[in-house]
Amino acid sequence: VLTPALGRELVLTKDLLAEGVHYLADDPPDTVAAKLFAVNLSDLAAMGARPVGALLGLGMGPRCDRAWLEPFTAGLRAAAGRFACPLLGGDTIGGLERTVLSLTALGDVPPGAALSRGGGRPGDELWVSGAIGDAALGLALLRGGVALPDPAHAERVVAAYRTPEPRIALGLALRGVATAAMDVSDGLLLDAARLAEASGCAVEIALSAVPVSRAAEAAGTLRLELAAGGDDYELLFAASPHSRTAIERIGRRLKLRLTHIGSLRAGAGLSVLNADGRDVTPARLGFEHRG
Amino acid sequence: VLTPALGRELVLTKDLLAEGVHYLADDPPDTVAAKLFAVNLSDLAAMGARPVGALLGLGMGPRCDRAWLEPFTAGLRAAAGRFACPLLGGDTIGGLERTVLSLTALGDVPPGAALSRGGGRPGDELWVSGAIGDAALGLALLRGGVALPDPAHAERVVAAYRTPEPRIALGLALRGVATAAMDVSDGLLLDAARLAEASGCAVEIALSAVPVSRAAEAAGTLRLELAAGGDDYELLFAASPHSRTAIERIGRRLKLRLTHIGSLRAGAGLSVLNADGRDVTPARLGFEHRG
């Protein structure tokens, strides 16, 4: 039983993670718990909502034994505490071939203040938080598809994959500033195309402006590939050019890189431009966890 | 985004159903959708809550193709309409060996009015709605473990298994009347033991009073076995003997059989008594969907 804060609206989000699909079977269980919270709270952040609580659905596969459950549960407790998002209940079932995790997170916002992906307008600037592509690199590294000689770089990209940071404080700060927002879960380009479509606009992205980490630079991965990776859980948002100063101030206050990467235009569709202004939009924009 | 009704408390419930564990792979998809709603709304009913909305998590297994999804989705829509519980959103993933369904349902109650399983007191009478054991019989019939010559009986028990009826109106009517309530999902005896434990009481059940259907009588299944079946989704509740008239009135108004089957006592534990007053408590009280 939950008493909603007086005069606030509720937002709800639900994300499923499956072993071997959204996380690797040998990822440390506490990081799986952290990621489960992060992907859901990232959705709340994108709506400008404050976390209120969560419900867990745990479908246990054969690897979900006591040795796995103990650190997983500790990780859940840690995440619930860290994000001020208590676990309110849930359900556990067995008999599955692989573990399936379902979290429902509740958040609240002042009436009418929730951000959506559909509020962008032609002329708005497009921004993104953090660096893009580290999580996809981390997954590639764990799967042996890429090498990073510097252990600090390797650690950074693996952490980006396993324990993304939901941008809750940024989402709260963007209320009344951003015209549209969403989190980057399936690749920056694909998600930017979705934001533009929901807003009834075209979107243009300057590839050279897309922020990448030193680790990603060291890996030598093409920026276009990083921008079509997934699992970033950064916030992508549109805002009027008049909000530029306010946005820069938010970035300084939160010590979070916020980068202007493009703009919304009248029309439809996504264009990715290189430094010479040539259209380099790839055929595959991102990553859908459906396979 | 959801605007909570002013001054009401929210209750949340989440239940998972897995193909081959909680429903049979060849159950009609629309009945699977109905059952998914029913098991969650049954939880809300047990708290005396009114459904507000639901979120769906769909983890798709190999049998979850378009031919399955179409009637499943139609079933979801029908259930959402029938129970006034709109689907507010959700998440879909693929790559599973079997389909896993997760529903989160929201309900609301006036402040302080939510029923719980922990409010029972020694001297309270124990009641149950409907008939007990039909769903377990239906499952046994579908698995070929029991025969029911009368097709009307067979249809009734299969419907009890596939499309249980959440007792929403009863839950609402029991607010302020029942001292404790829960839904019967894992077998009447096991759930009665849980209600008693949560209430800090012992519980005594008169086996001959446990309501069973004509179909169950025709099947000749032992009443003790019916009372240890599962999936009934009837409401089990405790109430003061002074509330008997009020309860009987509720039953008449809702055209729902409500049966006084036992009582709470000081102490702890469950006793099942036969017509001679002999203790016939079985070793296995019920059914846990963990295997």
Side-chain angles (χ1 to χ4, degrees):
Chain A
V1 178
L2 196 78
T3 308
L6 204 68
R8 290 177 78 94
E9 289 176 339
L10 286 174
V11 298
L12 291 152
T13 162
K14 183 181 186 99
D15 270 302
L16 305 182
L17 297 187
E19 177 186 336
V21 183
H22 307 87
Y23 67 92
L24 303 173
D26 56 358
D27 279 338
D30 58 325
T31 71
V32 175
K35 184 160 188 167
L36 180 63
F37 262 86
V39 301
N40 275 283
L41 297 189
S42 177
D43 275 337
L44 291 186
M47 295 189 268
R50 180 183 66 176
V52 169
L55 295 170
L56 173 71
L58 169 60
M60 298 191 291
R63 284 190 205 83
C64 197
D65 55 9
R66 185 175 297 194
W68 193 90
L69 278 171
E70 217 165 280
F72 176 73
T73 309
L76 288 177
R77 269 196 304 267
R82 183 160 160 244
F83 301 124
C85 183
L87 262 183
L88 305 170
D91 188 28
T92 301
I93 64 168
L96 304 186
E97 289 74 13
R98 63 174 82 213
T99 297
V100 178
L101 305 166
S102 161
L103 201 81
T104 302
L106 261 93
D108 70 3
V109 285
L115 298 169
S116 82
R117 58 175 76 176
R121 290 168 298 224
D124 280 355
E125 295 180 338
L126 190 70
W127 296 74
V128 74
S129 64
I132 290 297
D134 280 358
L137 265 180
L139 175 60
L141 184 75
L142 289 169
R143 283 185 168 157
V146 73
L148 274 172
D150 184 332
H153 289 166
E155 198 181 315
R156 183 196 158 105
V157 301
V158 168
Y161 175 68
R162 286 184 173 157
T163 54
E165 180 66 29
R167 300 303 187 188
I168 298 171
L170 176 59
L172 296 176
L174 289 176
R175 293 196 309 223
V177 176
T179 54
M182 66 185 294
D183 68 328
V184 181
S185 58
D186 296 335
L188 175 66
L189 302 184
L190 180 56
D191 287 327
R194 289 170 174 162
L195 185 147
E197 193 187 351
S199 296
C201 295
V203 60
E204 210 173 86
I205 290 180
L207 186 60
S208 61
V210 171
V212 300
S213 71
R214 290 223 180 92
E217 278 170 1
T221 312
L222 290 178
R223 198 165 286 232
L224 207 51
E225 220 169 298
L226 296 171
D231 268 349
D232 294 299
Y233 302 106
E234 295 294 346
L235 290 194
L236 176 71
F237 58 96
S240 152
H242 302 300
S243 301
R244 201 180 294 179
T245 318
I247 291 168
E248 287 165 351
R249 203 181 304 125
I250 291 167
R252 280 195 303 276
R253 178 166 66 78
L254 301 178
K255 297 186 175 56
L256 179 60
R257 187 170 168 186
L258 299 178
T259 311
H260 170 200
I261 58 167
S263 54
L264 299 184
R265 299 285 163 92
L270 165 83
S271 315
V272 183
L273 305 180
N274 74 0
D276 312 328
R278 205 155 44 85
D279 189 323
V280 293
T281 313
R284 194 187 74 96
L285 297 181
F287 186 79
E288 295 205 62
H289 288 292
R290 295 284 170 96
Chain B
V1 178
L2 195 77
T3 306
L6 204 67
R8 288 178 80 94
E9 289 175 341
L10 286 172
V11 298
L12 291 151
T13 163
K14 183 180 184 102
D15 271 301
L16 305 183
L17 297 188
E19 176 186 336
V21 183
H22 306 87
Y23 67 92
L24 302 174
D26 56 358
D27 278 339
D30 58 324
T31 71
V32 175
K35 184 159 188 168
L36 180 64
F37 262 86
V39 301
N40 275 282
L41 297 189
S42 177
D43 275 337
L44 292 186
M47 296 189 268
R50 178 183 67 178
V52 168
L55 296 169
L56 173 71
L58 169 60
M60 297 191 291
R63 282 190 208 84
C64 196
D65 55 9
R66 183 173 301 193
W68 194 90
L69 278 171
E70 217 164 279
F72 176 73
T73 310
L76 288 177
R77 267 196 306 267
R82 185 161 159 243
F83 301 125
C85 184
L87 262 183
L88 306 170
D91 188 28
T92 301
I93 65 168
L96 304 186
E97 288 75 11
R98 64 173 84 212
T99 297
V100 179
L101 305 166
S102 161
L103 201 81
T104 302
L106 263 92
D108 70 4
V109 285
L115 297 169
S116 82
R117 57 176 76 176
R121 290 168 299 225
D124 280 355
E125 295 179 338
L126 191 69
W127 297 73
V128 74
S129 63
I132 291 297
D134 280 356
L137 264 181
L139 176 60
L141 183 75
L142 289 169
R143 285 184 168 156
V146 73
L148 274 172
D150 184 332
H153 290 165
E155 198 181 315
R156 186 197 156 104
V157 300
V158 167
Y161 175 69
R162 286 184 173 158
T163 53
E165 180 67 29
R167 301 302 186 188
I168 297 170
L170 176 60
L172 296 175
L174 289 176
R175 294 196 309 225
V177 175
T179 55
M182 66 184 295
D183 67 328
V184 181
S185 58
D186 295 337
L188 175 66
L189 302 184
L190 180 57
D191 287 327
R194 288 170 174 162
L195 185 148
E197 193 187 352
S199 296
C201 297
V203 59
E204 211 173 84
I205 290 180
L207 186 60
S208 62
V210 171
V212 301
S213 70
R214 291 224 178 94
E217 278 172 2
T221 312
L222 290 178
R223 201 165 284 233
L224 206 52
E225 220 172 297
L226 296 171
D231 269 350
D232 294 298
Y233 302 106
E234 295 295 345
L235 291 193
L236 177 70
F237 57 98
S240 151
H242 302 299
S243 301
R244 201 180 294 178
T245 317
I247 292 168
E248 287 166 350
R249 203 181 304 127
I250 291 168
R252 280 194 301 275
R253 178 164 66 78
L254 300 178
K255 297 186 176 55
L256 179 59
R257 186 170 168 184
L258 300 178
T259 311
H260 170 202
I261 58 167
S263 54
L264 298 184
R265 300 284 162 93
L270 166 81
S271 316
V272 183
L273 305 181
N274 74 0
D276 311 329
R278 206 155 41 87
D279 189 322
V280 292
T281 313
R284 194 186 76 96
L285 296 182
F287 186 79
E288 295 206 62
H289 289 292
R290 295 285 170 95

